[in-house]
Every structure is written in structure tokens, then in C-alpha cells.
């Protein structure tokens, strides 16, 4: 058998030990690659159907390309001083882009129309009508849409360029739908960070193979001396040991590959058994092979090179100078080990600490986002927070109950290839649940303003005053926002762009008043006695007719995610009724009840032990006046109605107008002779009651329609939608035409009316839900207020208790739910990476310690021969390992910090737009130092264990194995 075959194929126990150490390192590289790739590929698979149809980019006004859809933009100012964005849409614009077509004249806007608007631009001014548009389009509803010629009149400042592009993560511009590009770009960042850190595993392979090969060289000095003396060249010897190291490394890679696949799956199986949520499905994919195959080849070459370097010392000198017995001088300050062990120990621990610092930094940075001290309210069953839709008014109800709450919309964005998170929220509410503090500028106020986290501002290199172009999140969209402030906040909250709720709704495609989640600063206290179904509103008349029915409308909401039964109980005086209803999860429904009114008087209505409501019961024949104008010209005779409380006309009834009297017709109508200027009292009195109205007779009065408005319910909560009911009546003897505008909080309804003499019409307009407070409703006709009323919105203190016990509330945060939906349990993922890194480090340290112990085996044998026990030898080795471990851990700590600083300087410590801190927390730093020393001691114990099991004579003679046939006995 040739010496080459002997040196390559004959393996000792230490060689098998080396294979195990290499396998642990390769298992870490394989397992971490599979975990990272699977975790990052999971959300990409979820988002793949939402690929963007193209990109949008900004360009100067004079640099617009001819082969793309170009939308020129002008910034103009309205008469009220508000700056607005005006965009020009060519008439030939492709409808596939979902851009609103330009009007023939004036402007189109999605926030409601107006008679006309004057816009002042840089180059000139334009007057024109404004039409409203319905439905969602690519452009924000606040923008004024017109033709390119009108934009040119105002003065074109820049332009948007729409490009058809199937690229998932464009290097320039922004995707019109960002979710897929966000995850692809984020995956690339994650792979870059982890690749830069775990590449240190190559160092451990080199250390392991070098250490074991050095031990093999010492064991085979006699064989090497013989083959050198019989003609083998130094190149032959180096090539043989390089081949030997390559074979050991190859076997270690094969075993490590198997362990790298098995161990993470075992961890996932254990997590599932323990009930930890996880969505990971580990498997070796084609993408994983593309990453692992070059890694394995590189490790194989590194192992071969380490074997050749380890054998270099036996080919430099002539064969006669190769000694098999010289052990070297006793190390200064150490009992058994060599100071040379400090270098591989420091290198190995620096790799481990780099991995530990990055993994812990990701966990701690995401902690304020992925977990929460408070609660998160989201739609039950939503697969991801961006799929959740809940009423924003829940936040108002909680705030009215003294609970800090923030209604928020989660979004994804990609700008120039950089992914980051957006969040639509009111800044003040956001700051109460995140401890954010304004660092510069001011909070955002207008829809096109934003506040950016200080960390994200550094990542994107933007400052206050700059404008960002954004694409839609999960829907196609475009928006431009101006940065008006920066803020600081704990963890990853500082790596987000805070948008206004209107802008975030547009980019997310949400309906008005809907948000993704509502976060609270403190947990909602569950109350077993609190029902999941609450009464949001009770609508009943203030007056009812005696011996008739009182109709009551009760609005219920099921705050739970599951179907619930609820019994509505109403009492009115001595009368009682109840109705049982079944509500689906999250359903809101209005239930109609009816109770007998009884005799005239005042009675109290109560529903489900709620607040008492007095209702006046009047006689059916009580008179009422309808349609009396506030003002009338002298000599006019407005037509009014006199009716009973039940709505029946009062015929042949005397009506007093000042000093005059008139009698009603058979239909209850009567013309009132108002006479000359002055105040006239109109009075109707019957045996069952009376009613009085006044008319101001003046020469300035015009014949105008008469309007009245009421809000139902009269006292809504922040979770109910009130309705404004307007009655418009023409009391004059000629037809009248006018525009009626019903103005409520954040809403205006407009309608053209043409009423014949005596005609009456009822208009109903839904008002928006509002937080607790007092609000006005006005009816404008011909530019003046014709009727007005006010109503008060109250909080619902029952909502908090109901939500706390419902399926809407989660103990974590919105992004905690997102991480769980996308990659599973974050703690499990990072824990698996940390565990693999610890195993790798033990392998590398054990190899270097084994080399050091092996070099002192004769000294250990002497100690054993003169009576030293294995325990005392172990104590000497552990004492030396403690010294080396302390120094090596300190050096590794400094080296790992320098590595992180270098990665940060290269811009590599950013994942999904979140910057990873370069300095560990005190707890992590102390833990790293303790773990580093502990791993060193553990590795030293493993390394010396094999020597202590054998007889002392074997250590003295160097006979650690039986020689192979044809091989000289060592020692």
C-alpha cells in the first residue's frame, strides 16, 4: 500500500473528530441558509399574485420621454391659501392605467365638486368648475385632474412617468404596487446580512481542518521522514495532505448537509409539538442549492488549502531534522496549553459573536414592533394585518373611555430599490402608543405631508422639506408626500414613514373610515361580565301619540369574532317587550321594536338597562303647524299646513295671524295674510292643545324655500353613522329653483331642486362617524343658511370591555401578526439560528483545543504516570482554557464590533428597511462574554476527554492508534 493511500485513507479517532467538527460548521451554514431563504420566500409566495403592472417615476418638466405615459404636474394655490396638486392627463391615456379622463372644461376631483375654483400657479391663474368623481383611481382623490394644456397655463413644475414594467423590485422609480417588490428587496437585504455574517464559517472550517491536520502530521512524522528520505518531494507531501484534508472536509460537508436539513426541521417539529405558531416549510429548494453549492465548493478548497498549510512545517527542513519526540518548551504562564491556541479561539469566538449580535439585534429591534404591551384590534380571521379592515371609530370610542389608542394603516413601499414600511396614523395618537418624540419639524397635517423616522431618514438619505414619490401598497396607486418632520421611537418604529390616514387609505385601497388595525398603549382588561354584543344607539321620537305605538330602533354591534345571540329588552312606563337576535361576528344591525304609548303624559324609555329617555305622549288631535317661513315680504300670503299629531289635516280650524283670523281648508292648508311690516304671531288652538310660530315681515325678505333639518339619532355614539333628514317646502304661489347643500362634519351633499307651489320634499344624507364632541349640520340655499342644528357624539364606554373579550383583540402588535403570518414564530427562527451557531462554535473551538492538548500529550502522560488523576489533569486544562477563554472572548468581542461597524459602513446592516444597531445592549454584551467563556471551557473538556480515557503509556510513546500495514509505528 502506497504512503499516499495510507496518509489519505487511514483515519484516526481525531480525524473522525475533525469530520464531526466540520459537519457542525457546515450544518450551521446549511441550516441558516434554509431558515433564512424559507422565511424570506414565504411572504414572497403570498405576495406573488400582487405583482406590480408597472412603475412610476418623477422627472423634470423638460425631460419627459415620448414613449411613455407622461402626466405633467403643477403646484397651485387656492383662494383659501391651500396648496394643491394639479395633474394633466392626456385624452389618449390608456384606460388600463386607471387614471381619470380629463374633463372638457375645468377640473375633476375625487373629494367632491364645487361651483368653481381659482388656482394660481407659477406661470398663471386658471378659473374653472370642479366636478366630483366616484370610485378609486390611480391618482389621489385630493389631486385636481385636468388636461395637459391647463397644467401648462398654471406652469408645469415636473411630471410623472408611467412605465409598463414586470420587474418585481425595480432599481429606479417605484412600483405602482409595492408589496411584492418590498419582500423581494427585503429578502435580498436579509441574505446579504446573514451571508456576510455566516461567511465566517469558512474561517472555522479552515481552523478545524488545520488543527486536525497538524495533529495528523505530528502522528505521522516517522512516516513522513521515511517517504521524504526515499525520494518523495515536498510537493508530493503537500499535495497528499491537501488531498487528505479535502477528503475529510468533503465527508464533513456531506454529514453537515444532512445535519443542516435535519436539525432545523427537528426544531420546527418540536415547536409545533409545544404549540408555537410557525408557517415555515423547510425544504431544499433550487434557490437554496444555488446558494449552498458554491459555498460547499469554497469550503472544500479552503479545507484543502488548510491541510497544505498544516503540512508546510514538515517540508521546509530536510528529513533528518524531523523529530518525533520533541514537544517544545513549557508554555509560560500556562500549565499545559499553548498561547498559540489564543488566535484560533479568538477567531472562532468572533464569528460566533458576530452571528449572536446580528441575531439579537434583529430580535431586539423588532421587539417593540413584533410585540406590544398593549392590544391590537384587527379583523378576525385576517391572514395579515394589511388584509384586516376595522372601523377607525373604535379608536375614538377607546379614547373617549380614557384609553390611548391609535387607528393605523400598515403599508409597504419601495423607493429606488430600498424597501421600507409605511404607517398611516395621526401622529399624536401614534406617539401615545409608541413613545415617539418629534425630533425636527412638525407633525403632518395635510394629506400630502408625512413624518419620517430618524433611522429611516438616514437609510433613504432624505431631509425635512424633500418630497417622496410612493406607489400603492397592495393596490395600484401613486402619491407624493412632503417630509415635514422627523421623529425618534423605540426599535423598528423609527424605521417607518408616517403618512396621513387619507394618503394611506388611497395607497392601501381602503374605504373611508376603515383602517387595518387599532393599537392601544395598554392591554384592554377583559371582563367576563361584559357582553360581546353592545347597544350602540337607541332611536326613538321625542313625542308620541297617545293610545298608539312608539317605534324604537336599536342598533347593536357584535364585537366578537364568533356568532352571538343577544336579547334586546325595552321598557316604556309599565310596558315591556323583548326580541332575540343572532349576529354574525363583527355584524352591526338595527332592530325595530314597538311598544304601546298609553295615555297622555311623560314616560321613560329604557333599553337593556341603558340611559333613560323621556318621551312626551300627546293627544292625537294636538295641532301642529308645518311650512311657516321665518321671513315674508309685506302683503304676501304663504301657504302652510295645520295637522294633528298623527299627521291628519285639521280642516275648518281657526288660525290667528296677528289681529287677523283665517280658516283652514279641507286638506288642512291655509294662506296666511301677513299684512304690513312687523312681527306676526301665528297661533292655532283647539280643545286638545295649541301651537305657535312667528313670521318676520320685512321689505327685504325674499320668497325662498323653507327648510328644516334634524339628526337621527339625536345623540349618536362614535360607532354609529347619523343621518341628516332635511325637509324642504315651497310655501309660495310660484315655483322656486335652488341648490340645496347639506353640510355636516367632513361631508357635503348637494342637490338641485325645483319645487312647485306647495310642494314638499325630504332629503336624507349620511353623516360621517366622528369622535366624541359637538357637531353642526347646516342647510344652505342660495348661499345662505336656511336651517341648522347640532348634535353631540358620545363615547361608548362599553366598547373597550366588549373588545377586550372579543376575537378582534390580540395581545401582540400588527407587525407581530404580520411576522407570524409570513415567517412563523420569530423567536423560533432566531433561536434556531443561535443554536446552530453555538454548535458550530463548539466544533471550531474543540478542534483548536484538541490540537493544543495533543501537542502536550507527553506532558499529560508524565503527569498521569506520576499519579495525577484524570480529574486533576482536566482541572489544569480547564484552568488554562479559562485564561485563554477570557482573553479570546474579549478579543472576539472587539473584533465582532469592528465587523459590525464595517458592515454598517458598507450599508449592509439594513433588513426590510430596518437598520440593525451596531452596538449590542448591555444584557446581550454580558451574555456574549459569559457564553464565549463557557463554550471555550466546554470545548477544552471535549478535547482532553479522549486523552484521559487511555493509559499513560500511550501518551508517553505517542501510540494513539495501531499502525496500518506498511506504515512505520509512530514515536
Amino acid at each position: 500500500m502506497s504512503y499516499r493511500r495510507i496518509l489519505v485513507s487511514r483515519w484516526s479517532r481525531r480525524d473522525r473528530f475533525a469530520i464531526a467538527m466540520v459537519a457542525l460548521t457546515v450544518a450551521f451554514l446549511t441550516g441558516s441558509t434554509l431558515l433564512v431563504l424559507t422565511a424570506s420566500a414565504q411572504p414572497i409566495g403570498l405576495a406573488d399574485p400582487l405583482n406590480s403592472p408597472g412603475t412610476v417615476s418623477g422627472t423634470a418638466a423638460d425631460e419627459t420621454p415620448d414613449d411613455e405615459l407622461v402626466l405633467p404636474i403643477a403646484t397651485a394655490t387656492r383662494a383659501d391659501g391651500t396648496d394643491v396638486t394639479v395633474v394633466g392627463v392626456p385624452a389618449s391615456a390608456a384606460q388600463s392605467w386607471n387614471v381619470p379622463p380629463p374633463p372638457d372644461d375645468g377640473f375633476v376631483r375625487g373629494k367632491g365638486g364645487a361651483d368653481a375654483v381659482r388656482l394660481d400657479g407659477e406661470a398663471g391663474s386658471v378659473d374653472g368648475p370642479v366636478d366630483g368623481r366616484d370610485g378609486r383611481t390611480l391618482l389621489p382623490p385630493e389631486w385636481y385632474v385636468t388636461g395637459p394644456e391647463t397644467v401648462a397655463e398654471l406652469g408645469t413644475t415636473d411630471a410623472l412617468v408611467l412605465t409598463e414594467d414586470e420587474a418585481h423590485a425595480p432599481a429606479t422609480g417605484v412600483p405602482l404596487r409595492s408589496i411584492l417588490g418590498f419582500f423581494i428587496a427585503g429578502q435580498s437585504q436579509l441574505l446579504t446580512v446573514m451571508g456576510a455574517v455566516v461567511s465566517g464559517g469558512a474561517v472555522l472550517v479552515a481552523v478545524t481542518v488545520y488543527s486536525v491536520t497538524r495533529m495528523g502530521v505530528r502522528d505521522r512524522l516517522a512516516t513522513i521522514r521515511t517517504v521524504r528520505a526515499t525520494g518523495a518531494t515536498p510537493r508530493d507531501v503537500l499535495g497528499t495532505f491537501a488531498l487528505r484534508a479535502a477528503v475529510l472536509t468533503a465527508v464533513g460537508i456531506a454529514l453537515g448537509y444532512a445535519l443542516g436539513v435535519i436539525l432545523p426541521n427537528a426544531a420546527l417539529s418540536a415547536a409545533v409539538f409545544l404549540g408555537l405558531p410557525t408557517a415555515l416549510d423547510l425544504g431544499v429548494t433550487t434557490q437554496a442549492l444555488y446558494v449552498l453549492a458554491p459555498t460547499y465548493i469554497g469550503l472544500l478548497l479552503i479545507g484543502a488549502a488548510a491541510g497544505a498549510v498544516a503540512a508546510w512545517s514538515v517540508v521546509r527542513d530536510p528529513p533528518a531534522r524531523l523529530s518525533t519526540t520533541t514537544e517544545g518548551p513549557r508554555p509560560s504562564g500556562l500549565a499545559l496549553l499553548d498561547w498559540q491556541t489564543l488566535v484560533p479561539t479568538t477567531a472562532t469566538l468572533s464569528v460566533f459573536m458576530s452571528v449572536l449580535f446580528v441575531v439579537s439585534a434583529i430580535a431586539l429591534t423588532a421587539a417593540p414592533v413584533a410585540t406590544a404591551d398593549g392590544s391590537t384590534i384587527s379583523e378576525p380571521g385576517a391572514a395579515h394585518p394589511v388584509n384586516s379592515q376595522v372601523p377607525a371609530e373604535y379608536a375614538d370610542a377607546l379614547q373617549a373611555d380614557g384609553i390611548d389608542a391609535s387607528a393605523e394603516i400598515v403599508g409597504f413601499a419601495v423607493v429606488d430599490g430600498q424597501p421600507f414600511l409605511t404607517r398611516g396614523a395621526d401622529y399624536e395618537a401614534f406617539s401615545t402608543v409608541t413613545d415617539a418624540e418629534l425630533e425636527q419639524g412638525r407633525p403632518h397635517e395635510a394629506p400630502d405631508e408625512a413624518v419620517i423616522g430618524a433611522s429611516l431618514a438616514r437609510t433613504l438619505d432624505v431631509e425635512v422639506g424633500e418630497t417622496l414619490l410612493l406607489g400603492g401598497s397592495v393596490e395600484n396607486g401613486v402619491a407624493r408626500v412632503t417630509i415635514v418632520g422627523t421623529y425618534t421611537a423605540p426599535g423598528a418604529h423609527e424605521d417607518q414613514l408616517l403618512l396621513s390616514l387619507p394618503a394611506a387609505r388611497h395607497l392601501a385601497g381602503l374605504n373611508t373610515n376603515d383602517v387595518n388595525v387599532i393599537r392601544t398603549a395598554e392591554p384592554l382588561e377583559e371582563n367576563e361580565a361584559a357582553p360581546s354584543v353592545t347597544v350602540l344607539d337607541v332611536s326613538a321620537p321625542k313625542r308620541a301619540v297617545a293610545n298608539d305605538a312608539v317605534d324604537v330602533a336599536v342598533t347593536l354591534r357584535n364585537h366578537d369574532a364568533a356568532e352571538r345571540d343577544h336579547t334586546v329588552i325595552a321598557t316604556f312606563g309599565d310596558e315591556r317587550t323583548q326580541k332575540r337576535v343572532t349576529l354574525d361576528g363583527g355584524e352591526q344591525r338595527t332592530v325595530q321594536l314597538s311598544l304601546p304609548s298609553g295615555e297622555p303624559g311623560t314616560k321613560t324609555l329604557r333599553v337593556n338597562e341603558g340611559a333613560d329617555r323621556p318621551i312626551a305622549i300627546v293627544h292625537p288631535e294636538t295641532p301642529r303647524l308645518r311650512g311657516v317661513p321665518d321671513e315674508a315680504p309685506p302683503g304676501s300670503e304663504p301657504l302652510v299646513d295645520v295637522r294633528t299629531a298623527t299627521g291628519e289635516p285639521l280642516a275648518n280650524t281657526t288660525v290667528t295671524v296677528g289681529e287677523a283670523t283665517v280658516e283652514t281648508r279641507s286638506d288642512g292648508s291655509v294662506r296666511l295674510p301677513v299684512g304690513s311690516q312687523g312681527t306676526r304671531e301665528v297661533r292655532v288652538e283647539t280643545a286638545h292643545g295649541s301651537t305657535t310660530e312667528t313670521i318676520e315681515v320685512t321689505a327685504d325678505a325674499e320668497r325662498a324655500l323653507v327648510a328644516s333639518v334634524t339628526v337621527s339619532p339625536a345623540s349618536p355614539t362614535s360607532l354609529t353613522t347619523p343621518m341628516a333628514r332635511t325637509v324642504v317646502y315651497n310655501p309660495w304661489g310660484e315655483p322656486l329653483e335652488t341648490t340645496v347643500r347639506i353640510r355636516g362634519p367632513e361631508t357635503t351633499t348637494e342637490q338641485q331642486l325645483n319645487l312647485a307651489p306647495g310642494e314638499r320634499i325630504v332629503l336624507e344624507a349620511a353623516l360621517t362617524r366622528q369622535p366624541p364632541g359637538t357637531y353642526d349640520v347646516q342647510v344652505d340655499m342660495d348661499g345662505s343658511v336656511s336651517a341648522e342644528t347640532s348634535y353631540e357624539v358620545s363615547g361608548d364606554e362599553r366598547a373597550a370591555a366588549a373588545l377586550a373579550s372579543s376575537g378582534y383583540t390580540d395581545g401582540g402588535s400588527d407587525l407581530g401578526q404580520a411576522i407570524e403570518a409570513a415567517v412563523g414564530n420569530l423567536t423560533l427562527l432566531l433561536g434556531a439560528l443561535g443554536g446552530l451557531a453555538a454548535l458550530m462554535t463548539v466544533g471550531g473551538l474543540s478542534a483548536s483545543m484538541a490540537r493544543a492538548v495533543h501537542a502536550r500529550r507527553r506532558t499529560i502522560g508524565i503527569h498521569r504516570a506520576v499519579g495525577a488523576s484524570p480529574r486533576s489533569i482536566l482541572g489544569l486544562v480547564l484552568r488554562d482554557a479559562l485564561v485563554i477563554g477570557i482573553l479570546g472572548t474579549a478579543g472576539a468581542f472587539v473584533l465582532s464590533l469592528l465587523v459590525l461597524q464595517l458592515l454598517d459602513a458598507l450599508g449592509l446592516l439594513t433588513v426590510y428597511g430596518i437598520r440593525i444597531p451596531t452596538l449590542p445592549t448591555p444584557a446581550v454584551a454580558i451574555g456574549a462574554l459569559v457564553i464565549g467563556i463557557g463554550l471555550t471551557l466546554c470545548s477544552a473538556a471535549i478535547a482532553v476527554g479522549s486523552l484521559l480515557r487511555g493509559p499513560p503509556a500511550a501518551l508517553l510513546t505517542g501510540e494513539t492508534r495501531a499502525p496500518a500495514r506498511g506504515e512505520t509505528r509512530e514515536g
Side-chain angles (χ1 to χ4, degrees):
M1 181 180 292
S2 68
Y3 76 91
R4 291 187 179 87
R5 184 174 179 184
I6 292 173
L7 293 178
V8 172
S9 61
R10 292 294 181 178
W11 295 347
S12 66
R13 186 188 308 138
R14 283 188 295 274
D15 295 323
R16 292 188 289 273
F17 173 77
I19 291 174
M21 298 303 101
V22 172
L24 289 178
T25 302
V26 174
F28 166 73
L29 297 175
T30 303
S32 60
T33 300
L34 293 179
L35 285 168
V36 171
L37 282 176
T38 304
S40 56
Q42 187 86 5
I44 292 177
L46 297 174
D48 189 62
L50 299 177
N51 186 21
S52 176
T55 62
V56 58
S57 57
T59 184
D62 56 352
E63 297 179 359
T64 55
D66 296 330
D67 56 346
E68 308 291 352
L69 178 58
V70 178
L71 305 178
I73 287 179
T75 300
T77 304
R78 289 196 312 231
D80 58 4
T82 303
D83 291 333
V84 298
T85 298
V86 184
V87 59
V89 177
S92 59
Q95 291 303 311
S96 59
W97 289 111
N98 191 26
V99 292
D104 296 332
D105 182 32
F107 308 91
V108 173
R109 192 166 181 254
K111 298 293 288 185
D115 288 340
V117 67
R118 179 181 177 86
L119 300 179
D120 298 321
E122 293 184 357
S125 300
V126 175
D127 295 300
V130 181
D131 294 330
R133 72 170 187 260
D134 297 326
R136 185 181 182 277
T137 68
L138 192 69
L139 305 178
E142 297 85 9
W143 288 9
Y144 287 82
V145 177
T146 186
E149 300 80 7
T150 305
V151 173
E153 290 183 47
L154 291 169
T156 304
T157 56
D158 52 3
L160 297 179
V161 180
L162 300 179
T163 306
E164 291 185 4
D165 188 0
E166 297 297 331
H168 290 171
T172 59
V174 298
L176 294 175
R177 185 185 292 156
S178 302
I179 179 171
L180 184 57
F182 171 87
F183 283 114
I184 290 178
Q187 181 197 51
S188 176
Q189 290 179 336
L190 181 60
L191 290 177
T192 300
V193 171
M194 296 305 299
V197 174
V198 304
S199 60
V203 176
L204 301 189
V205 170
V207 169
T208 301
V209 174
Y210 174 82
S211 299
V212 175
T213 304
R214 285 290 295 166
M215 289 187 287
V217 168
R218 285 195 182 97
D219 286 342
R220 293 166 176 81
L221 280 176
T223 301
I224 296 172
R225 184 174 56 192
T226 300
V227 299
R228 286 284 310 280
T230 55
T233 65
R235 179 178 297 178
D236 292 335
V237 175
L238 290 178
T240 299
F241 277 97
L243 178 60
R244 182 176 185 274
V247 172
L248 290 176
T249 304
V251 175
I253 289 173
L255 181 59
Y257 169 81
L259 288 175
V261 174
I262 293 172
L263 291 178
N265 279 284
L268 290 183
S269 299
V272 173
F273 177 78
L274 295 175
L276 293 177
T278 177
L280 292 178
D281 183 15
L282 290 175
V284 181
T285 62
T286 303
Q287 184 183 14
L289 291 178
Y290 284 150
V291 175
L292 291 174
T295 301
Y296 294 157
I297 294 173
L299 293 179
L300 190 62
L301 296 177
I302 290 174
V309 172
W312 176 252
S313 61
V314 298
V315 300
R316 293 180 300 177
D317 300 324
R321 296 182 60 181
L322 298 180
S323 171
T324 62
T325 58
T326 301
E327 191 174 88
R330 180 173 179 170
S332 174
L334 297 176
L336 292 175
L337 299 183
D338 193 334
W339 283 113
Q340 294 180 354
T341 311
L342 180 61
V343 175
T345 298
T346 303
T348 303
L349 288 175
S350 64
V351 175
F352 169 74
M353 287 191 179
S354 297
V355 174
L356 178 63
F357 289 163
V358 170
V359 169
S360 63
I362 293 176
L364 293 175
T365 301
V369 179
T371 60
D373 294 331
S375 299
T376 297
I377 300 169
S378 59
E379 183 179 3
H384 191 283
V386 298
N387 302 122
S388 169
Q389 295 187 36
V390 295
E393 292 76 16
Y394 272 142
D396 301 326
L398 295 172
Q399 290 169 356
D401 200 35
I403 299 174
D404 291 332
S406 177
E408 299 178 351
I409 299 172
V410 182
F412 308 104
V414 180
V415 173
D416 294 333
Q418 174 65 54
F420 59 93
L421 293 168
T422 65
R423 186 177 292 270
D426 174 77
Y427 176 78
E428 296 300 331
F430 172 79
S431 64
T432 61
V433 299
T434 58
D435 295 327
E437 295 184 1
L438 201 63
E439 181 184 60
Q440 183 183 2
R442 60 174 176 82
H444 57 277
E445 297 172 354
D448 59 351
E449 294 178 344
V451 182
I452 191 171
S455 179
L456 181 59
R458 293 192 297 271
T459 300
L460 299 181
D461 191 23
V462 297
E463 298 178 351
V464 173
E466 295 188 31
T467 298
L468 284 180
L469 180 63
L470 303 175
S473 176
V474 295
E475 296 287 345
N476 296 337
V478 175
R480 297 198 314 171
V481 294
T482 300
I483 307 298
V484 297
T486 61
Y487 69 90
T488 58
H493 287 303
E494 195 175 301
D495 292 278
Q496 300 180 42
L497 180 67
L498 203 62
L499 304 174
S500 66
L501 283 171
R505 282 193 182 97
H506 169 66
L507 295 178
L510 291 179
N511 297 323
T512 303
N513 294 329
D514 278 348
V515 294
N516 293 138
V517 295
I518 294 171
R519 294 190 298 143
T520 64
E522 57 189 44
L524 299 180
E525 296 183 2
E526 294 190 17
N527 184 353
E528 294 182 359
S532 60
V533 178
T534 60
V535 177
L536 296 183
D537 175 66
V538 176
S539 180
K542 294 182 179 180
R543 293 191 307 173
V545 177
N547 299 317
D548 199 354
V550 177
D551 294 327
V552 181
V554 181
T555 302
L556 305 171
R557 178 186 282 274
N558 179 13
H559 299 283
D560 205 341
E563 180 184 278
R564 295 296 182 194
D565 294 331
H566 186 77
T567 301
V568 181
I569 301 175
T571 60
F572 186 56
D574 296 332
E575 301 293 337
R576 184 178 186 275
T577 187
Q578 66 181 45
K579 188 173 185 178
R580 188 169 183 82
V581 295
T582 300
L583 299 177
D584 294 333
E587 182 183 1
Q588 179 172 315
R589 188 191 308 173
T590 299
V591 178
Q592 301 293 334
L593 301 176
S594 182
L595 297 101
S597 59
E599 297 299 322
T602 300
K603 297 182 180 180
T604 300
L605 172 69
R606 175 178 293 182
V607 177
N608 282 26
E609 302 301 326
D612 296 340
R613 298 196 178 187
I615 298 178
I617 308 300
V618 299
H619 193 279
E621 297 297 322
T622 301
R624 295 175 57 192
L625 279 165
R626 295 197 312 173
V628 178
D630 294 330
E631 295 181 339
S636 62
E637 293 185 348
L639 182 67
V640 300
D641 285 340
V642 180
R643 295 183 176 263
T644 65
T646 60
E648 297 296 323
L650 273 175
N652 304 320
T653 301
T654 300
V655 179
T656 303
V657 185
E659 300 298 330
T661 59
V662 290
E663 195 170 274
T664 61
R665 304 170 187 170
S666 60
D667 60 358
S669 64
V670 62
R671 290 199 174 274
L672 303 179
V674 298
S676 60
Q677 295 189 101
T679 301
R680 300 289 181 269
E681 181 182 82
V682 181
R683 180 179 179 81
V684 179
E685 185 172 358
T686 67
H688 303 290
S690 63
T691 182
T692 301
E693 297 280 355
T694 59
I695 301 177
E696 191 69 30
V697 182
T698 173
D700 297 331
E702 296 181 356
R703 288 174 171 81
L705 299 177
V706 177
S708 63
V709 60
T710 57
V711 175
S712 177
S715 300
T717 68
S718 55
L719 297 178
T720 54
T721 301
M723 298 290 295
R725 185 177 187 273
T726 302
V727 179
V728 183
Y729 173 64
N730 182 4
W732 310 104
E734 58 187 61
L736 294 178
E737 181 178 357
T738 188
T739 300
V740 177
R741 291 190 180 90
I742 305 173
R743 302 184 186 275
E746 300 181 9
T747 182
T748 298
T749 302
E750 181 178 298
Q751 187 168 339
Q752 293 287 336
L753 295 181
N754 190 343
L755 299 186
E759 184 178 358
R760 186 187 310 271
I761 190 171
V762 178
L763 305 177
E764 289 190 342
L767 305 176
T768 57
R769 296 171 179 168
Q770 296 295 326
T774 302
Y775 301 91
D776 296 325
V777 178
Q778 295 180 338
V779 179
D780 295 348
M781 292 190 297
D782 296 326
S784 61
V785 178
S786 299
E788 60 184 332
T789 188
S790 63
Y791 66 98
E792 183 177 358
V793 177
S794 61
D796 194 343
E797 66 279 359
R798 298 159 296 181
L803 286 171
S805 307
S806 72
Y808 279 88
T809 305
D810 187 88
S813 75
D814 51 343
L815 289 186
Q817 299 169 18
I819 291 172
E820 184 175 313
V823 303
N825 188 284
L826 180 64
T827 303
L828 172 63
L829 175 63
L830 298 179
L833 288 174
L836 289 172
L839 287 176
M840 173 188 69
T841 305
V842 170
L845 287 175
S846 298
S848 59
M849 287 292 175
R851 183 179 71 84
V853 171
H854 182 266
R856 311 300 299 177
R857 66 188 184 279
R858 292 183 183 277
T859 302
I860 294 174
I862 293 174
H863 280 277
R864 291 286 310 282
V866 297
S869 66
R871 179 176 295 180
S872 63
I873 299 297
L874 177 63
L876 292 175
V877 171
L878 290 181
R879 189 188 69 180
D880 290 350
L882 179 62
V883 175
I884 293 175
I886 292 175
L887 296 177
T889 300
F893 185 85
V894 175
L895 282 176
S896 60
L897 293 182
L898 293 176
V899 169
L900 293 184
Q901 293 291 340
L902 176 61
L903 294 177
D904 184 59
L906 296 174
L908 300 179
L909 288 187
T910 302
V911 178
Y912 293 103
I914 300 174
R915 295 175 69 92
I916 300 174
T918 57
L919 293 177
T921 63
V924 173
I926 294 173
L929 294 174
V930 172
I931 293 174
I933 296 173
L935 291 178
T936 304
L937 294 175
C938 179
S939 301
I942 294 174
V944 77
S946 60
L947 293 181
L948 298 180
R949 288 194 298 267
L955 298 175
L956 292 171
T957 62
E959 186 179 328
T960 60
R961 60 177 178 83
R965 186 176 61 182
E967 183 181 0
T968 304
R969 179 182 296 274
E970 305 293 351

